[in-house]
């Protein structure tokens, strides 16, 4: 299959990919365009996730690339970023499903699990045999999770007893396991647990009425005396610093997904501008529409340069919290501008699912907020700049 660069990759960052990586991107892109793009609008409107795409996602390696136990070939963080971008370019809900399954759930086990835990769970998650979720955010604790976590874990012999609640947990209505982060009542440190969702006392309830990422199945979780064996405690998760190590990896991929969401909206607007006729010519021939498209492309190009660099730093072991935080804060802010300009270029038709722009416009709001709001990521970077923490 021939690899075709995206017109929206204006400075040809795809040239950094190896031939094998380009082939994988070409195959993924073709499948997404043929089998996923035609159905996502309907699933978004019905607030249902297209479960039929999970197996093909696994077959395309999307759930495998980042992990030594399962990667089909040697690949770079830049390549994995392009994968996240390709997914979001078609649908941000699909990108978010993968981000939860592959980044947060599998990533927690990869970063914080023992060798035995990695060997057991990562292949199952990579194949889609087991579906995962990540339970950190709580009804009363979001940005202050490092200090404000209220879910508790109490050691009882060879088991742990978990009590508490989680909110906004993606994939949680259908996950087989959820990584639950809880505060140990004995040492007051945050620890992680692989919790099978069939465990007595575990309940997940779908959150209704969303206007963003409607196909993502977010849930409220309650934990009432949920008993988990010591063997399912993440062996190397001993404080919130370990939780943050997972978020550092996934936050950068959310930045890539923001670029993909921008591109999806931009490409839909370019297509519309070439078809819609007003005053006797296509609206793409009008100066004001060209201005909107050029500003959008500028945002995409600047953001793409940033995420490429952050991923290169990850490949070299140089990426730190403030690097991924700046990328997430900047790219999601530029995404918000870009999807608004794309919607504006489509006029009234920009608010209907028929032209795709409305879906990207709405979904951008969730990407802007999850895995660290712009404000929280700004404070992470601000602490690095000034040496002073200004979180409270």
């Amino acid at each position: 299959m021939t690899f075709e660069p995206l017109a929206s990759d204006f400075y040809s960052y795809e040239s950094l990919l190896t031939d094998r990586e380009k082939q994988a991107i070409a195959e993924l892109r073709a499948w997404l365009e043929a089998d996923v793009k035609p159905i996502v609008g309907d699933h978004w409107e019905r607030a249902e996730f297209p479960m039929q795409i999970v197996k093909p996602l696994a077959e395309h390696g999307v759930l495998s690339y980042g992990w030594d136990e399962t990667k089909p070939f040697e690949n770079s963080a830049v390549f994995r970023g392009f994968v996240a971008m390709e997914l979001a370019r078609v649908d941000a809900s699909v990108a978010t499903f993968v981000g939860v399954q592959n980044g947060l759930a599998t990533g927690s086990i990869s970063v914080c699990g023992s060798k035995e835990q990695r060997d057991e769970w990562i292949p199952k998650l990579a194949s889609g045999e087991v579906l995962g979720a990540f339970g950190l955010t709580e009804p009363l604790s979001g940005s202050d999770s490092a200090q404000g976590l209220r879910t508790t874990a109490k050691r009882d012999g060879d088991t742990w007893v978990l009590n508490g609640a989680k909110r906004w947990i993606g994939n949680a209505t259908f996950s087989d396991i959820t990584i639950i982060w809880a505060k140990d009542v004995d040492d007051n440190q945050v620890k992680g647990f692989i919790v099978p969702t069939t465990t007595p006392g575990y309940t997940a309830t779908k959150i209704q009425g969303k206007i963003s990422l409607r196909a993502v199945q977010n849930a409220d979780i309650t934990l009432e005396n949920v008993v988990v064996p010591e063997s399912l405690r993440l062996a190397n998760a001993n404080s919130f610093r370990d939780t943050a190590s997972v978020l550092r990896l996934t936050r950068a991929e959310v930045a890539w997904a923001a670029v993909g969401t921008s591109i999806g909206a931009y490409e839909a607007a370019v297509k519309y501008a070439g078809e819609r006729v007003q005053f006797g010519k296509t609206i793409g021939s009008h100066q004001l529409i060209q201005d909107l498209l050029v500003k959008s492309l500028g945002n995409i190009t600047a953001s793409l340069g940033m995420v490429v660099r952050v991923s290169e730093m990850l490949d070299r072991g140089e990426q730190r919290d403030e690097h991924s935080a700046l990328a997430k804060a900047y790219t999601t802010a530029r995404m918000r501008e870009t999807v608004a300009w794309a919607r504006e270029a489509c006029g009234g038709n920009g608010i209907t699912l028929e032209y795709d722009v409305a879906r990207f416009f709405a979904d951008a709001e969730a990407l802007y907020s999850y895995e660290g709001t712009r404000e929280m990521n700004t404070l992470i970077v601000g602490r690095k700049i000034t040496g002073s923490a200004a979180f409270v």
Side-chain angles (χ1 to χ4, degrees), residues 100-101 103-106 108 132-139 141-142 145 149-152 162-172 175 177-183 190-195 197 202 204 218-223 234 240 243 246-247:
V100 174
Q101 171 80 3
L104 291 170
T106 309
S108 294
F134 178 89
L136 177 62
T137 301
E138 298 182 350
S141 176
S145 291
L149 213 64
R150 291 167 173 80
T151 298
T152 61
L162 308 182
N163 281 284
K166 299 293 179 180
R167 183 163 173 80
W168 293 116
I169 309 308
N171 299 0
S175 63
I177 61 169
T178 299
I179 307 300
I180 294 291
W181 299 93
K183 190 167 288 186
V190 174
K191 293 180 170 59
F193 301 86
I194 303 168
V195 180
T197 57
Y202 177 102
N218 295 96
D220 286 308
I221 292 174
T222 57
L223 303 152
L234 291 175
F240 191 80
T243 317
V246 179
L247 296 175

Side-chain angles (χ1 to χ4, degrees), residues 158-162 193-196 199 226-230 232-233:
D158 291 331
T159 65
W160 292 80
V161 181
L162 308 182
F193 301 86
I194 303 168
V195 180
T199 305
V226 172
V227 179
V228 180
E230 165 66 11
L232 292 183
R233 180 182 66 83

Side-chain angles (χ1 to χ4, degrees), residues 303-332:
S303 297
L304 191 50
M306 178 176 280
V307 293
V308 164
R309 183 60 175 166
V310 167
S311 291
E312 289 176 332
M313 296 173 77
L314 178 60
D315 278 328
R316 294 198 300 268
E318 297 172 357
Q319 187 197 104
R320 298 189 300 273
D321 287 344
E322 58 268 21
H323 296 135
S324 57
L326 181 60
K328 204 277 181 176
Y330 181 85
T331 60
T332 55

